[in-house]
Amino acid sequence: MNKRDIIIIGAGHNGLVAAFYLAKAGLKPLVLERRSVVGGASVTEEFHPGFRCSTLATSAGPLLPQIINDLQLQKYNVEFIKPSVQVCALNHGAPICIYDDAERTAGELTKLSSKDANSYSDFVATFERIGRALRPLLTMTPPDIDAPTKSELWHLGKLGWKIRGLGKKDEYRLLRYGPMAVADLAAEWFANETLRAVVAARGIFGAFAGPWSAGTSAPLLLQAAISGNAISPTIFVKGGMGALTQALAKAATDAGAEIRTNAEVKSIEVKEDRVAGVVLANDESIPAWTVVSNGDPGVTFTKLLDYAAVTPSFRTRAQNYRSHGVVAMVHLALSSLPKFSYRTANRSERDNEEFSGRLHIGSDIDYLERAFDAAKYGDFSPKPFMEITIPTMGDPSLAPSGAHVMSIHAQFAPYKLNGYARVLRADSATGAGTPEARVPSDWDSRREELGDAIVDALTEYAPNLKALIVGRRVLTPLDLERTFGLTGGHIHHGEMSLDQLFAFRPFIGAAQYRTPVKGLYLCGAGTHPGGGVTGAPGFNASREVIKDLKR
Ligand SMILES: Cc1cc2nc3c(=O)[nH]c(=O)nc-3n(C[C@H](O)[C@H](O)[C@H](O)COP(=O)(O)OP(=O)(O)OC[C@H]3O[C@@H](n4cnc5c(N)ncnc54)[C@H](O)[C@@H]3O)c2cc1C
């Protein structure tokens, strides 16, 4: 059988980006995807007759501008929808909206506190500056920390120079923020509790961490590098995220890549310390010179690679890589837009602007930390931190006329349930509760209970919600693992904590997209700079593969 140039395992957006660049370099990549659709965590699916939505990621990272240009995504009719509202926090008083326009946001915040309004402008400008200085990091291959090459040291030096250029105040901020708990960072900037919670939310999005966990400010710095703002923007794609990955797939195939769906890789073959190809679930063997895995580090190193292919210490590192998911998704098919109880007389029912971005539920830092407490002890939170999107506000094509889709990203729902419903479930206000009760510890028997709890929690803010639900899909962390191949149900292919970032992502020995097996590479969110629909891991990995092949 002819040996393939390159096989890419997985057609997530990073695998597709890598396929495009490798094909552009004159190679003939074959992309093998286990599902019947490409896109990985960036897909659009019908979850109820006539209702479609982005099943997992709802908003684009954003994608690196260079990728948008190189792949000429406009040519493939990709339309980004950027609502004026990034996020709107609901609580039992007036909502707090963060707009795309920082001045407008500061203006609105003046109604709450002139001090917070002033701080907001400074906050935005500070993270914009820090983000600009850090941006080169996104497309940099992390150095080998045991033996950095001259070129790696040169790139690090250039980055250091950029950081020096920030001036002492921002430089110290940057150094302090990385290891800080995001609750502390938010409190340094703002007095309003809800505003603090909105800021803190970025630090714990998808993380097995609460706002008081150390290092939760680091994702804000990363977000600032990606988007120029610590609070991530909301960027929908017309037709859902699947429209984006369909376009990436088209760009890759137009460049010369081949994509096969329903092609699950069962194992990566290694001969004499060198990759030799892959074997599919149907036992088809495909020899290849190079294999690039878009599967997460858990999939690649503990499922697909033979035990003996790497050293015991490497394997231990792979096993110790933390990938405990905490996110559940609930999609609701709604007959109409729900009424939110916060709406006051001076707000018109027709003025729906605040629904156009993300809705945040988590009134204060304590609320977010309590939501995390449940996961720490192996149970899901009855009052979860939620980020809600109603994509039909900007893209009515996703539902029948007049109807809406509501997607709820809910934390915390831990991958591993301990089988006890704890006092948190009883009376979190007084601290008194019923004793622990034995409950099933498997997600299959608790999926709908989780869905009910999330809908109940949201009904506090939208009292008529239940009456409008005509269909629902609940996805637990186990579903994220089983259906989408995410180890431990982790949305970022592994925790984005300081010990698993940059030269430590996923871990030492595999942090430069290369692995100890010659010819085997990683290109997914488990590599630098991590999760989010940015395309950066795929872009960086393809560059390293091309570099090695040229050598
Ligand atoms: C619930 C959820 C919500 C999220 N929300 C957002 C958001 O709003 N904004 C944002 O920017 N990011 C979000 N993310 C994160 C973002 O979606 C991911 O970081 C990103 O999609 C990862 O892309 P990837 O290409 O690296 O991997 P993936 O998208 O995970 O793709 C990996 C692919 O590999 C395939 N695969 C795995 N094993 C095999 C095998 N053995 N054989 C063949 N194929 C295989 C999988 O089926 C999959 O298609 C979210 C993620 C989740 C899960």
Side-chain angles (χ1 to χ4, degrees):
M1 190 188 281
N2 277 347
K3 205 162 176 166
R4 291 279 185 164
D5 280 350
I6 293 204
I7 283 174
I8 298 179
I9 304 173
H13 84 282
N14 279 313
L16 295 170
V17 166
F20 169 83
Y21 284 104
L22 291 166
K24 272 282 171 202
L27 297 154
K28 291 254 166 263
L30 168 66
V31 185
L32 300 169
E33 168 56 48
R34 58 191 274 280
R35 296 195 74 212
S36 58
V37 281
V38 300
S42 303
V43 283
T44 307
E45 291 172 316
E46 187 176 65
F47 68 99
H48 184 75
F51 291 80
R52 293 181 308 133
C53 69
S54 301
T55 312
L56 303 179
T58 53
S59 169
L63 212 58
L64 295 186
Q66 182 171 353
I67 295 176
I68 296 176
N69 290 335
D70 289 348
L71 275 74
Q72 296 181 286
L73 290 184
Q74 290 81 352
K75 194 173 106 186
Y76 299 100
N77 301 323
V78 174
E79 203 182 306
F80 293 106
I81 301 172
K82 296 181 184 166
S84 55
V85 176
Q86 292 182 348
V87 55
C88 183
L90 304 184
N91 53 36
H92 292 296
I96 296 180
C97 287
I98 305 291
Y99 299 95
D100 217 19
D101 177 345
E103 252 180 62
R104 182 177 175 197
T105 309
E108 292 263 318
L109 290 175
T110 316
K111 294 176 201 156
L112 289 176
S113 137
S114 56
K115 195 166 167 289
D116 278 357
N118 287 336
S119 299
Y120 185 74
S121 305
D122 194 12
F123 176 76
V124 169
T126 300
F127 276 89
E128 219 170 70
R129 286 192 302 272
I130 293 180
R132 212 176 308 127
L134 290 180
R135 195 148 308 140
L137 199 69
L138 301 177
T139 49
M140 188 189 271
T141 296
D144 175 346
I145 58 167
D146 285 331
T149 62
K150 274 187 195 156
S151 138
E152 286 166 359
L153 290 172
W154 165 249
H155 286 299
L156 276 182
K158 267 198 341 196
L159 181 70
W161 193 247
K162 275 214 149 217
I163 291 172
R164 281 308 290 259
L166 280 169
K168 254 191 191 162
K169 199 169 173 186
D170 282 346
E171 215 180 309
Y172 289 167
R173 277 174 170 153
L174 175 56
L175 292 174
R176 283 179 60 239
Y177 288 168
M180 248 167 104
V182 72
D184 283 327
L185 183 146
E188 280 193 6
W189 284 97
F190 303 111
N192 181 282
E193 271 294 334
T194 306
L195 190 52
R196 286 181 181 178
V198 172
V199 171
R202 184 48 28 189
I204 60 169
F205 186 83
F208 196 103
W212 289 112
S213 306
T216 41
S217 295
L220 268 63
L221 297 169
L222 196 54
Q223 186 63 49
I226 294 168
S227 66
N229 200 333
I231 300 173
S232 71
T234 300
I235 305 175
F236 295 121
V237 179
K238 187 153 196 288
M241 294 294 280
L244 174 64
T245 44
Q246 290 293 334
L248 296 178
K250 190 82 181 55
T253 48
D254 284 354
E258 186 188 339
I259 301 174
R260 272 172 69 181
T261 51
N262 296 310
E264 175 163 9
V265 173
K266 184 170 77 173
S267 64
I268 297 169
E269 297 301 285
V270 179
K271 279 190 192 134
E272 292 162 8
D273 296 338
R274 211 188 187 294
V275 81
V278 300
V279 176
L280 301 188
N282 65 3
D283 289 331
E284 183 187 351
S285 172
I286 311 180
W289 294 105
T290 302
V291 174
V292 182
S293 178
N294 183 199
D296 65 32
V299 165
T300 310
F301 295 122
T302 60
K303 269 170 79 181
L304 302 184
L305 209 55
D306 185 72
Y307 206 86
V310 290
T311 61
S313 74
F314 185 89
R315 194 159 179 97
T316 304
R317 266 176 266 163
Q319 282 162 344
N320 288 342
Y321 178 67
R322 287 176 298 111
S323 190
H324 308 292
V326 286
V327 174
M329 287 297 291
V330 176
H331 300 294
L332 301 177
L334 301 175
S335 55
S336 65
L337 204 58
K339 289 197 168 94
F340 284 86
S341 49
Y342 69 79
R343 278 174 174 257
T344 51
N346 58 357
R347 275 182 177 267
S348 147
E349 280 294 336
R350 279 191 299 273
D351 171 20
N352 287 328
E353 188 189 9
E354 64 258 41
F355 300 137
S356 62
R358 306 189 306 276
L359 294 171
H360 162 103
I361 295 208
S363 53
D364 52 35
I365 295 288
D366 284 350
Y367 180 110
L368 300 180
E369 188 68 25
R370 279 203 193 95
F372 172 50
D373 280 345
K376 264 193 300 200
Y377 302 113
D379 196 7
F380 61 78
S381 169
K383 290 202 186 299
F385 149 49
M386 292 182 263
E387 278 213 351
I388 299 153
T389 48
I390 310 177
T392 35
M393 293 298 299
D395 183 3
S397 72
L398 294 169
S401 170
H404 281 279
V405 167
M406 181 182 264
S407 295
I408 308 164
H409 168 117
Q411 286 180 224
F412 288 83
Y415 173 72
K416 276 191 190 154
L417 291 169
N418 72 0
Y420 288 93
R422 288 182 60 88
V423 288
L424 283 164
R425 190 162 293 283
D427 190 347
S428 55
T430 63
T434 52
E436 287 178 343
R438 196 90 182 101
V439 290
S441 61
D442 67 295
W443 272 120
D444 283 329
S445 36
R446 297 193 71 193
R447 181 177 296 103
E448 296 310 318
E449 182 194 339
L450 170 72
D452 291 345
I454 291 170
V455 170
D456 280 347
L458 190 50
T459 305
E460 278 189 31
Y461 302 84
N464 71 337
L465 180 69
K466 282 186 193 168
L468 308 177
I469 300 174
V470 295
R472 153 176 126 174
R473 182 180 184 189
V474 182
L475 290 158
T476 69
L478 183 66
D479 298 321
L480 300 192
E481 180 173 78
R482 277 201 298 225
T483 311
F484 298 92
L486 298 165
T487 304
H490 202 293
I491 74 164
H492 296 311
H493 286 199
E495 202 66 4
M496 301 256 293
S497 49
L498 276 179
D499 60 318
Q500 295 193 164
L501 285 179
F502 194 48
F504 300 96
R505 187 161 189 83
F507 40 81
I508 294 173
Q512 298 184 296
Y513 309 99
R514 298 171 183 85
T515 73
V517 177
K518 286 188 203 83
L520 174 64
Y521 298 80
L522 296 177
C523 75
T527 61
H528 172 74
V533 185
T534 64
F539 175 79
N540 293 345
S542 58
R543 182 188 57 230
E544 294 307 312
V545 174
I546 293 164
K547 219 191 271 176
D548 286 357
L549 292 178
K550 276 190 183 154
R551 262 185 219 144

